[in-house]
Amino acid sequence: MNAITHNFFDAASGRITDPIAFMAADADVKKQVIGIWAADNARHAATFADKVDSFLQDAQVGYAFLTPQLHRIEAEVYMTRYPSFDITRFFSVDSSGDMWDVGTLVYSMDKVGQAQFLAGGAFDMPYASAQMSQNTLNFHLAGIGYEWNTQEMQRAAKLGRSLSSDKAMAADLVAQRFIYGLAMDGKNPAGVAEKGWTGFVNNASVPSAQVANDGTGPSRLWSAKTADQILRDINAALTAVETGSGETFVADTLVLPTSAYNYIATTRVGDSGSTILSFLQANNVAGERLTILKSRALETVGTGGTTRMVAYANIPQVLKFHLPGPHQFLPAFQKASMVYEVGGIMNVGGLEVRVPKAMAYRDSF
């Protein structure tokens, strides 16, 4: 292992002194730093091997063992990313504010205006954002943590081992899954819109329609349509953003259900060497900057439980998710004679769609 020369950690213990610089470092560097930290924790744990019995009589012994262990665990947890619950692929996340903010003002525009010819002395200047509504979006505190019991801590100390990060990893994964669900459809893990929110895939203000019913049968399904018909369906969704917003916004992002994305990624355009996906990427009404993504959240949210695609201008002026308090762990405390709890909290807002007509839904393919 090569020596590390960065100055964002303590070389002896591996303890991170500059978290921002650490997060920006290369993966190999992070791995080495965590390795140094884990080794130091193991050495620290070994010093408690002869103090195991004291855990039951002296709470300070337990805290002395637990605290540095948790520092290492939290650094390891927050270094890890779970792409399957990464909402930043689809829209911006606004983390302005803090864990205790109560809400924000939400602005929604139904019409964004249209330029017109004017006379030299005109007094009837057309304005953008002619219709605009203002509402309050409340933030809500949520939590998920984990706990350690004295038996687990004693066993680790007796063996001179660091505590496992599995519990903290599980808690953070649950938090990310919770946030992902709220962002995508406004619902909690039980499938209930507990706060009355909608999300990215089911906002009632976004214009929606079904794709054309002109496939074999007739049918709306892409499996019954030609490549040209599929490309037309997709370009119709992209065009709807431009025309619906009075050409104020142009779609730069298209999100498809995973099954539909995989279908066009493996289906060729006629006898050419291009798949529908590669042809679409190079030839579409939105231009070369079009980003095409896939999401499992779009499989059954369309009309009658069918598929749905979303075309939109992916900029904060159109939509963003409010997360003023990202998930963080609280200091450990002893909640029972043999149990230590590590709470985890987050302050969550919903998805704000500011310009519904800069998005378009197309269903049933």
Side-chain angles (χ1 to χ4, degrees), residues 89-90 253-257 261 291-295 312 314:
R89 294 177 297 158
F90 304 111
T253 307
L254 173 72
V255 185
L256 297 169
Y261 181 100
T291 298
I292 305 175
L293 304 171
K294 58 182 174 180
S295 172
Y312 59 108
N314 187 7

Side-chain angles (χ1 to χ4, degrees), residues 300-365:
T300 59
V301 293
T303 305
T306 59
T307 50
R308 166 168 286 178
M309 73 176 96
V310 187
Y312 59 108
N314 187 7
I315 53 177
Q317 290 85 350
V318 172
L319 77 169
K320 60 182 177 180
F321 183 77
H322 291 276
L323 186 62
H327 183 252
Q328 67 180 56
F329 291 117
L330 300 173
F333 75 97
Q334 190 169 7
K335 72 173 186 180
S337 59
M338 296 183 66
V339 180
Y340 293 82
E341 178 180 298
V342 180
I345 59 174
M346 49 192 155
N347 194 19
V348 187
L351 181 74
E352 177 187 358
V353 178
R354 308 191 77 171
V355 189
K357 289 187 178 179
M359 298 180 66
Y361 293 150
R362 288 297 180 269
D363 299 349
S364 309
F365 49 90

Side-chain angles (χ1 to χ4, degrees), residues 211-212 222 225 229-237 309 362:
V211 299
W222 283 357
K225 290 185 175 182
Q229 289 173 316
I230 294 172
L231 290 166
R232 177 213 55 201
D233 288 346
I234 295 173
N235 280 301
M309 73 176 96
R362 288 297 180 269

Side-chain angles (χ1 to χ4, degrees), residues 254-299:
L254 173 72
V255 185
L256 297 169
T258 301
S259 60
Y261 181 100
N262 292 343
Y263 180 79
I264 67 171
T266 56
T267 302
R268 290 193 304 173
V269 178
D271 294 328
S272 72
S274 298
T275 63
I276 297 175
L277 179 61
S278 61
F279 185 89
L280 174 67
Q281 192 73 70
N283 304 273
N284 63 79
V285 296
E288 296 180 355
R289 62 178 183 171
L290 179 66
T291 298
I292 305 175
L293 304 171
K294 58 182 174 180
S295 172
R296 61 186 179 279
L298 289 166
E299 294 289 354

Side-chain angles (χ1 to χ4, degrees), residues 179-203:
I179 292 169
Y180 177 87
L182 294 178
M184 298 308 282
D185 62 15
K187 298 177 182 179
N188 63 22
V192 178
E194 186 177 357
K195 301 302 179 182
W197 293 339
T198 57
F200 175 66
V201 304
N202 62 346
N203 188 291

Side-chain angles (χ1 to χ4, degrees), residues 51-113:
K51 301 181 180 67
V52 173
D53 292 339
S54 299
F55 275 76
L56 295 175
Q57 286 80 34
D58 188 351
Q60 294 304 313
V61 175
Y63 280 121
F65 173 75
L66 184 60
T67 301
Q69 301 282 314
L70 295 182
H71 284 312
R72 188 267 308 170
I73 288 173
E74 289 182 24
E76 186 175 343
V77 167
Y78 291 129
M79 183 184 72
T80 305
R81 291 293 177 266
Y82 302 97
S84 61
F85 296 110
D86 181 13
I87 60 176
T88 60
R89 294 177 297 158
F90 304 111
F91 37 77
S92 299
V93 175
D94 188 345
S95 295
S96 58
D98 57 41
M99 192 65 72
W100 314 114
D101 275 355
V102 297
T104 186
L105 289 177
V106 175
Y107 299 95
S108 178
M109 291 178 285
D110 290 330
K111 293 185 178 179
V112 292

